[in-house]
């Protein structure tokens, strides 16, 4: 196997989120995801509405090779589900957060270098009630008492409409755990008939806001939501924009020398004299492999991450 290593630098931990409306099976949308990851040096990217099911293998998706892909599919192949792309340069552990709550779509990881617990979630109105999600949040926050926690995803409750009963219930839950919502700008503009709505439904909840450097709504929109991004003042290994790949050197000169050696310079008599076909085949195979490694030695090349 060829060995791949990554070119490392450090930077502030960068966590993003995007509702992609089923874009993971679209070559165009996954290319946009890669571009966004490269542009903003994203370490962790939460994804909503992945629309995957158990008939779709993760290895068939056009995702960056230097990221791990974690996923939680919605049952019965319906729209929804969430995913998380995590840089392989980021030291993390996937966390199992068992719950008796129904219709919860959430993925948890722990960033080991800074003991930060990150939840990428998706709450849709027709699948998970506000009360159910708040019960889940209560359950998780009690388990993570005195831990640094960050929730990022699509809550489907407008954070700029503070008169909503759903907003008030959520706000009370956040305050009970000293959490704040850090995204203030509009994240979705949608058309319903002749009417347009502007809402802030993509959110970051956290109890460690003092560790934040910034939170931004990005111009990129892969579905009908703007992507969001937050940076924390934690130094981590930067996602690699280039990969070092170790390959065999198949230069024209090496191939020519190898062919000449095979044609003119080697005595095959001991192989030809074998009376056992299997022994002759093993001898010939060993001879080819040994000389191939000698004439076409290993070399290291650097390639852009997006090509793989």
């Amino acid at each position: 196997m060829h060995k791949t290593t990554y070119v490392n630098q450090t930077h502030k931990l960068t966590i993003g989120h995007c509702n992609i409306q089923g874009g993971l099976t679209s070559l165009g949308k996954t290319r946009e995801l890669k571009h966004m990851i490269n542009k903003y040096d994203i370490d962790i990217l939460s994804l909503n509405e992945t629309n995957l099911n158990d008939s779709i293998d993760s290895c068939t998706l056009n995702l960056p090779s230097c990221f791990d892909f974690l996923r939680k599919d919605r049952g019965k192949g319906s729209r929804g589900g969430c995913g998380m792309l995590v840089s392989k340069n980021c030291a993390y552990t996937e966390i199992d957060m068992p719950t008796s709550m129904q219709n919860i779509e959430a993925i948890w990881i722990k960033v080991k270098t800074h003991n930060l617990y990150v939840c990428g979630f998706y709450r849709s109105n027709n699948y998970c009630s506000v009360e159910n999600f708040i019960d889940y949040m209560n359950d998780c926050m009690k388990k993570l008492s005195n831990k640094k926690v960050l929730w990022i995803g699509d809550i489907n409750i407008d954070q700029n409409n503070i008169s909503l009963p759903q907003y008030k219930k959520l706000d009370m839950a956040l305050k009970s755990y000293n959490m704040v919502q850090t995204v203030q700008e509009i994240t979705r503009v949608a058309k319903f008939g002749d009417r347009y709505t502007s809402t802030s439904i993509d959110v970051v909840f956290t109890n460690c806001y003092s560790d934040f450097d910034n939170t931004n709504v990005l111009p990129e929109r892969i579905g009908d939501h703007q992507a969001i991004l937050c940076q924390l003042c934690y130094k981590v290994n930067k996602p690699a924009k280039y990969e070092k790949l170790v390959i065999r050197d198949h230069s024209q000169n090496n191939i020519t020398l190898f062919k000449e050696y095979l044609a003119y310079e080697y005595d095959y008599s001991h192989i030809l004299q074998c009376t056992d076909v299997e022994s002759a085949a093993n001898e010939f195979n060993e001879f080819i492999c040994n000389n191939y490694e000698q004439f076409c030695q290993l070399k290291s090349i650097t390639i852009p991450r997006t090509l793989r």
Side-chain angles (χ1 to χ4, degrees), residues 170-197:
L170 178 64
D171 187 55
M172 288 180 61
L174 295 178
K175 287 177 177 175
S176 67
Y177 299 106
N178 295 316
M179 289 199 291
V180 295
Q181 201 289 104
T182 70
V183 181
Q184 304 301 322
E185 301 172 57
I186 299 300
T187 64
R188 187 187 187 214
V189 176
K191 184 178 181 181
F192 295 93
D194 296 328
R195 184 171 61 93
Y196 284 89
T197 61

Side-chain angles (χ1 to χ4, degrees), residues 36-104:
M36 186 169 68
I37 289 171
N38 281 337
K39 181 177 178 180
Y40 297 103
D41 291 321
I42 296 173
D43 301 290
I44 301 165
L45 182 61
S46 164
L47 301 172
N48 283 173
E49 291 194 50
T50 50
N51 292 10
L52 300 176
N53 55 55
D54 56 12
S55 70
I56 302 172
D57 197 307
S58 295
C59 69
T60 65
L61 304 174
N62 180 39
L63 299 174
S65 64
C66 46
F67 277 70
D68 294 327
F69 179 51
L70 315 177
R71 57 192 271 190
K72 183 176 177 62
D73 302 341
R74 184 177 293 187
K76 300 179 181 179
S78 57
R79 289 185 62 182
C82 60
M84 186 179 287
L85 286 165
V86 187
S87 167
K88 292 180 180 178
N89 283 347
C90 181
Y92 79 96
T93 302
E94 187 172 5
I95 301 297
D96 182 24
M97 199 70 75
T99 181
S100 60
M101 312 294 172
Q102 298 296 311
N103 297 348
I104 297 296

Side-chain angles (χ1 to χ4, degrees), residues 110-118 146-149 234:
K110 176 184 177 182
V111 180
K112 295 192 289 185
T113 49
H114 301 285
N115 292 321
L116 173 68
Y117 290 80
V118 179
N146 300 317
K147 305 294 186 184
K148 294 184 290 187
V149 183
Y234 305 148

Side-chain angles (χ1 to χ4, degrees), residues 132-146:
N132 197 50
F133 185 82
I134 291 175
D135 286 344
Y136 175 70
M137 178 178 283
N138 287 331
D139 192 24
C140 293
M141 293 305 293
K142 288 174 183 176
K143 292 175 182 176
L144 298 173
S145 176
N146 300 317

Side-chain angles (χ1 to χ4, degrees), residues 17 19 21 48-51 72-75 78-82 102-106 121-134 153-157 166 188 201-203 225:
H17 162 75
N19 186 319
Q21 295 186 305
N48 283 173
E49 291 194 50
T50 50
N51 292 10
K72 183 176 177 62
D73 302 341
R74 184 177 293 187
S78 57
R79 289 185 62 182
C82 60
Q102 298 296 311
N103 297 348
I104 297 296
E105 296 178 311
F121 71 90
Y122 178 47
R123 190 203 74 84
S124 59
N125 288 322
N126 60 357
Y127 188 70
C128 176
S129 69
V130 174
E131 293 76 15
N132 197 50
F133 185 82
I134 291 175
D154 179 356
I155 191 66
N156 271 301
I157 301 172
Q166 299 97 321
R188 187 187 187 214
I201 58 178
D202 301 277
V203 296
H225 295 238

Side-chain angles (χ1 to χ4, degrees), residues 206-232:
T206 186
N207 61 2
C208 57
Y209 187 59
S210 60
D211 295 334
F212 272 50
D213 183 75
N214 62 76
T215 303
N216 292 294
V217 175
L218 302 180
E220 283 78 5
R221 49 186 295 165
I222 297 175
D224 64 354
H225 295 238
Q226 305 296 130
I228 60 174
L229 191 77
C230 61
Q231 282 191 316
L232 289 82

